[in-house]
């Protein structure tokens, strides 16, 4: 039975509050086959009954202000509330932490259960999650020419550039593109797109880990994919951290939480825009990765670590609130942004930041870590400084403020690599939408632009 998200959450919690799973044995594709006709019907009804209903207005400030606040995209998997933060099909982060299956022996949400939720709007069973893990591990090997391509990159090429280029090269094997060339019907687009999306997600650990090894641990052999591990268990092992359970668990949580942040963020929006031309999922996601690689977006997590380490270098480890305050002012007065703070939509501390901080608070070794403590102390000071500075509409931390310090503490210290981990994650949401865009037959994205002269004419 298909239930609205909130009802489904309550239905998936037993009376004792412990998660209870539905006993479905359906595969991901079978589940989607069930869900898609209902969504198609919903869209048809919206079009028929409300095409002309006004849901917002556009001011000049929206046009010159990066389209902030304009409701202009359909995005199925998640919606962002400025104060509450993200909900995935209606489920908040704490809701997801209660009901989504974890890895055997683990406590954190895994990529597979988040992907299932994003794609279907349903909480998968333990068995469905394991089945998906196995499918991903079976499909995770790289084509030899892509391995060669990655190996040919100079180690000085930024890891995000390497990731974007290698994801684009995987389109050599795009099933959607091959089927399109044969001339398939529009109603068949989504199933080929789904195959591509699953194949791409499956290959991301091997791809991202190969980049890491080449750049930072040259000459160390990559282990084969382990069919008994989940996607991120394998990623951690490929990176060389497989026996670090704490880091593996952190990566699982990190990657589940960064998976989707509604549609307007720069990476997801880029994937959607490029995908709307019917470019295949590899090309669309490759483009998204280059948007993620900008310092106002995903690259901010690299910038946060660089900034916090520079602060530590200058002030020492045992730093006072007052010293941090002065350091923040120095950054602001030199005309730079404080990385990890502010947001295009959020107006409160990012619940992803809070969830990652909670992870830190639950582990004694992280509570003792000088970099983790510095990040926490910065949070205790920065909002007041940013409020006094008076520019940013949101003086609170976003997820990037804290995501890197835990990696750093656990030994993954090459912070130029951090956005690659974000890039492995964002595929979950961006590619989910690609499937939905094809299933719903969404059109080419093409908003209207205006010159300043044209705008002035319109105002008159
Ligand atoms: C996963 C993610 O992508 S989360 C975001 C990651 N990015 C960062 O952490 C980088 C630092 N933050 C920022 O640059 C911004 O807050 C952004 C890009 C995230 C959002 O930008 P906007 O929606 O334009 O923010 P906002 O409307 O509050 O900006 C108003 C002014 O405040 C400034 N401002 C915003 N955030 C900050 C900050 N953290 N430090 C200093 N100034 C800031 C803006 O630069 C802008 O200044 P301007 O008028 O001189 O151009
Ligand atoms: O929503 C945004 O604009 C940026 C962000 O936090 C994300 O993409 O995760």
């Amino acid at each position: 039975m298909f239930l609205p998200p909130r009802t489904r959450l309550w239905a998936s919690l037993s009376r004792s509050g412990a998660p209870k799973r539905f006993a479905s044995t359906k595969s991901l594709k079978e589940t989607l086959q069930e869900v898609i006709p209902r969504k198609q019907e919903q869209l048809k009804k919206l079009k028929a009954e409300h095409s002309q209903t006004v849901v917002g207005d556009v001011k000049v400030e929206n046009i010159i202000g990066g389209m902030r606040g304009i409701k202009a995209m359909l995005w199925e998997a998640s919606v962002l509330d400025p104060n509450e933060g993200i909900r995935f099909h209606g489920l908040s982060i704490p809701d997801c932490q209660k009901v989504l299956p974890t890895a055997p022996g683990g406590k954190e949400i895994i990529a597979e259960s988040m992907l299932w939720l994003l794609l279907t709007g349903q909480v998968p069973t333990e068995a469905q999650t394991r089945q998906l893990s196995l499918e991903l591990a079976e499909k995770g090997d790289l084509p030899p020419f892509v391995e060669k391509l990655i190996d040919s990159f100079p180690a000085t090429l930024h890891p995000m550039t390497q990731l974007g280029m290698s994801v684009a090269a995987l389109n050599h094997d795009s099933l959607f593109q091959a089927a399109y060339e044969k001339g398939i019907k529009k109603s068949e687009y989504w199933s080929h797109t789904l195959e591509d999306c699953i194949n791409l997600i499956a290959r991301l650990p091997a791809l991202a880990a190969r980049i890491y090894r080449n750049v930072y641990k040259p000459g160390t052999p990559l282990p084969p994919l382990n069919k008994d591990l989940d996607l991120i268990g394998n990623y951690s092992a490929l990176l060389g951290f497989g026996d670090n359970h704490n880091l593996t668990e952190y990566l699982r949580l990190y990657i589940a939480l960064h998976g989707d942040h509604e549609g307007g963020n720069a990476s997801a929006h880029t994937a959607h825009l490029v995908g709307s031309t019917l470019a295949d999922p590899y090309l669309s996601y490759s483009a998204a990765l280059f948007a993620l690689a900008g310092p106002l977006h995903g690259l901010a997590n690299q910038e946060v670590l660089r900034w916090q380490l520079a602060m530590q270098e200058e002030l020492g480890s045992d730093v006072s609130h007052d010293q941090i305050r002065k350091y923040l002012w120095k950054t602001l007065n030199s005309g730079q942004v404080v990385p990890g703070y502010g947001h295009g939509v959020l107006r409160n501390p990012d619940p992803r930041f809070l969830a990652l901080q909670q992870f830190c608070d639950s582990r004694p070794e992280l509570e003792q870590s000088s970099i983790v403590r510095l990040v926490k102390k910065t949070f205790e000071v920065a909002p007041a400084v940013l409020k006094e500075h008076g520019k940013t509409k949101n003086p609170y931390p976003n997820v990037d403020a804290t995501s890197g310090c835990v990696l750093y503490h656990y030994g993954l210290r090459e912070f130029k690599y951090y956005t690659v981990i974000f890039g492995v994650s964002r595929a979950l949401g961006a590619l989910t939408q690609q499937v939905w865009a094809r299933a719903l037959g969404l059109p080419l994205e093409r908003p209207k632009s205006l010159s300043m002269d044209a705008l002035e004419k319109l105002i008159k």
Side-chain angles (χ1 to χ4, degrees):
M1 184 176 56
F2 185 80
L3 299 166
R6 300 301 302 168
T7 322
R8 238 185 2 257
L9 169 67
W10 307 131
S12 67
L13 291 172
S14 71
R15 271 168 215 273
S16 67
K20 184 166 83 66
R21 318 277 179 227
F22 290 105
S24 174
T25 52
K26 292 206 162 71
S27 71
L28 185 59
K29 190 162 186 180
E30 287 164 347
T31 310
L32 269 168
Q33 270 160 342
E34 247 177 39
V35 178
I36 283 173
R38 279 191 292 267
K39 287 273 188 188
Q40 288 170 332
E41 206 43 49
Q42 188 183 1
L43 184 67
K44 209 165 133 192
K45 199 158 176 276
L46 267 170
K47 267 190 193 166
E49 296 176 9
H50 295 290
S51 271
Q52 301 307 311
T53 304
V54 176
V55 292
D57 53 2
V58 180
K59 299 196 177 75
V60 173
E61 72 171 5
N62 305 124
I63 297 171
I64 59 183
M67 296 190 277
R68 217 64 94 253
I70 298 180
K71 298 179 195 80
M73 284 175 82
L74 208 55
W75 193 269
E76 280 308 290
S78 68
V79 178
L80 184 64
D81 178 87
N83 297 308
E84 266 200 343
I86 197 69
R87 279 183 183 269
F88 308 103
H89 287 284
L91 302 191
S92 68
I93 289 170
D95 292 338
C96 289
Q97 287 175 310
K98 280 193 198 107
V99 300
L100 289 181
T102 62
K107 288 193 180 143
E108 304 301 339
I109 312 169
I110 54 171
E112 289 84 342
S113 52
M114 180 53 84
L115 175 62
W116 193 291
L117 172 66
L118 293 176
L119 268 168
T120 68
Q122 297 180 14
V123 173
T125 63
E126 206 89 38
Q128 285 172 321
T129 313
R130 302 282 164 263
Q131 186 53 40
L132 183 54
S133 290
L134 179 63
E135 182 180 349
L136 293 174
E138 280 170 347
K139 294 178 168 173
D141 288 321
L142 299 178
F145 89 93
V146 173
E147 291 184 345
K148 274 198 205 124
L149 176 73
I150 300 171
D151 295 348
S152 75
F153 293 141
T156 45
L157 186 62
H158 194 284
M160 279 302 280
T161 316
Q162 298 196 30
L163 184 68
M165 288 172 74
S166 346
V167 166
L170 285 174
N171 104 311
H172 182 269
D173 297 336
S174 170
L175 298 173
F176 172 76
Q177 199 185 73
Y180 189 85
E181 273 174 24
K182 274 194 206 141
I184 48 165
K185 289 193 276 213
K186 216 175 167 181
S187 60
E188 292 167 16
Y189 287 176
W190 77 265
S191 65
H192 300 282
T193 300
L194 176 67
E195 298 294 324
D196 275 353
C197 292
I198 294 295
N199 287 336
L200 171 50
I201 291 169
R203 288 167 172 185
L204 281 171
L207 209 130
R210 196 171 191 93
I211 293 168
Y212 179 76
R213 295 279 189 141
N214 282 355
V215 175
Y216 303 110
K217 309 269 158 81
T220 55
L222 278 154
L225 287 161
N226 180 343
K227 306 260 172 358
D228 294 327
L229 281 178
D230 61 298
L231 188 81
I232 305 309
N234 262 313
Y235 183 31
S236 185
L238 291 169
L239 287 169
F241 293 96
D243 45 15
N244 187 336
H245 180 68
N246 285 333
L247 177 59
T248 306
E249 278 284 276
Y250 179 70
L251 284 171
R252 286 177 176 132
L253 178 65
Y254 176 124
I255 284 169
L257 295 189
H258 284 72
D260 202 34
H261 215 232
E262 71 170 28
N265 70 76
S267 51
H269 188 185
T270 303
H272 185 64
L273 169 67
V274 177
S276 83
T277 69
L278 296 188
D280 64 63
Y282 301 100
L283 295 181
S284 309
Y285 196 58
S286 164
L289 286 164
F290 293 122
L292 195 67
L296 297 186
H297 188 23
L299 204 80
N301 62 23
Q302 155 188 323
E303 293 307 296
V304 166
L305 241 282
R306 188 209 300 282
W307 179 76
Q308 295 271 206
L309 288 171
M311 186 193 290
Q312 197 173 51
E313 170 98 13
E314 188 172 314
L315 305 175
S317 305
D318 196 19
V319 44
S320 70
H321 285 104
D322 202 43
Q323 283 174 301
I324 296 177
R325 190 173 297 114
K326 287 192 180 119
Y327 196 89
L328 280 156
W329 275 112
K330 194 171 93 170
T331 302
L332 290 167
N333 289 337
S334 67
Q336 295 169 57
V337 294
V338 174
Y341 284 78
H343 198 274
V345 178
L346 285 168
R347 295 296 176 257
N348 254 330
D350 187 337
R352 297 170 298 177
F353 170 88
L354 299 175
L356 296 183
Q357 280 287 308
Q358 206 177 40
F359 184 96
C360 296
D361 292 343
S362 69
R363 284 165 168 80
E365 75 278 10
L366 292 178
E367 279 187 305
Q368 299 308 317
S369 155
S370 59
I371 188 70
V372 172
R373 279 166 54 182
L374 185 61
V375 164
K376 195 171 178 178
K377 240 182 194 176
T378 304
F379 168 47
E380 286 158 8
V381 181
V385 171
L386 284 166
K387 274 184 208 165
E388 198 182 331
H389 182 245
K391 265 193 171 184
T392 174
K393 295 188 187 71
N394 174 36
Y396 299 109
N398 59 63
V399 69
D400 292 331
T402 191
S403 55
C405 64
V406 180
L407 300 171
Y408 193 84
H409 174 82
Y410 284 138
L412 211 164
R413 299 202 151 180
E414 300 86 0
F415 49 82
K416 270 199 177 177
Y417 184 76
Y418 289 178
T419 312
V420 170
I421 302 172
F422 197 159
V424 171
S425 166
R426 188 47 55 92
L428 304 177
L431 295 176
T432 286
Q433 176 64 18
Q434 199 101 139
V435 174
W436 278 104
R438 299 292 82 80
L440 296 173
L442 298 185
L444 178 77
E445 193 174 278
R446 205 310 185 183
K448 176 84 185 89
S449 68
L450 293 165
S451 67
M452 284 195 274
D453 287 346
L455 197 54
E456 280 169 358
K457 209 165 140 196
L458 201 66
I459 293 163
K460 277 180 208 145

